[in-house]
Amino acid sequence: MYGSYSQFPIKLIKFVSLLKFFVSLNDDVAADCLLWRNKKISSSVLTAATILWVLFEWLNYNFLTLLCFALVLGMLVQFLWTNASGLLNSDRKPSRAPYFVVPEDFFVNIATMVGAEVNRGLRFLQDIARGGNLKQFLIVVVSLWAGAVIGSWCNFLTVMYIGFVAAHTLPVLYEKYEDEVDNFVYKVLHQMQHNYRKVDAGFLGKIPKGKFNGNKYE
């Protein structure tokens, strides 16, 4: 009954280590940023995310307003760069400000990654819905309901910001306090497993475990 659930503590404890290993293999810049090996990059990224969150959440700016301000600022910088260089160096041609170009692959990679994760989540939900296991179905429904309640407390941007901050703090904290975190997680998950057994014995155990196909009528 608890075969897959008993492996949950091990999976959770190894998750951050797997994250660090995966990131370090695929993108050294991302690994340095998440694990704070390059403090300037990490602090700059986290500061930029915090500024954006404050602008959108606390100061109630919208995306179009910030986009227009950013474009105006960029044009102003290029205008001053080009004209000021001509005034300071009258004997030479004014230097041209460099063009800012976003690589096309940048958007393609983001769309591909997001699409793959969305399809994976939809496939998981549909497998649960079509599997006929009423217990798993109810657990997923309750989990989604809990997510909806949490979403009523804060908006999507705040949830994304919390996840972003967690991604920049949990890996480095785990790397520094790995033994302490392992012991704490084992204790917490052991208590969760004990509580789950009580719920399963009292309520979930009464739910039919076979596939729910319904009755056929002629």
Side-chain angles (χ1 to χ4, degrees), residues 140-204:
V140 172
V141 169
V142 172
S143 300
L144 292 176
W145 175 80
V149 173
I150 295 175
S152 65
W153 298 340
C154 54
N155 56 29
F156 181 73
L157 179 62
T158 301
V159 174
M160 291 293 294
Y161 176 71
I162 293 174
F164 188 84
V165 172
H168 281 76
T169 54
L170 294 182
V172 66
L173 290 176
Y174 182 81
E175 188 179 43
K176 189 175 182 180
Y177 304 103
E178 182 174 355
D179 295 335
E180 292 82 353
V181 172
D182 286 350
N183 295 330
F184 176 76
V185 170
Y186 268 121
K187 292 179 180 178
V188 171
L189 292 180
H190 178 73
Q191 184 63 35
M192 290 175 59
Q193 192 177 44
H194 179 69
N195 294 335
Y196 176 82
R197 288 194 179 99
K198 288 184 178 180
V199 175
D200 184 73
F203 173 70
L204 296 179

Side-chain angles (χ1 to χ4, degrees), residues 7 148 155 213:
Q7 298 297 321
N155 56 29
N213 296 323

Side-chain angles (χ1 to χ4, degrees), residues 63-100:
F63 177 75
L64 182 60
T65 301
L66 290 180
L67 178 62
C68 292
F69 283 161
L71 293 176
V72 170
L73 181 61
M75 293 179 63
L76 180 61
V77 169
Q78 290 192 331
F79 179 81
L80 294 177
W81 186 324
T82 302
N83 291 276
S85 61
L87 294 176
L88 297 176
N89 301 305
S90 57
D91 55 336
R92 294 187 301 177
K93 293 182 179 180
S95 62
R96 296 292 181 180
Y99 282 98
F100 178 77

Side-chain angles (χ1 to χ4, degrees), residues 19 23 32 54 72 124 127 130 142 165 214:
L19 174 63
V23 172
D32 293 341
V54 170
V72 170
F124 169 77
D127 289 342
R130 299 171 59 184
V142 172
V165 172

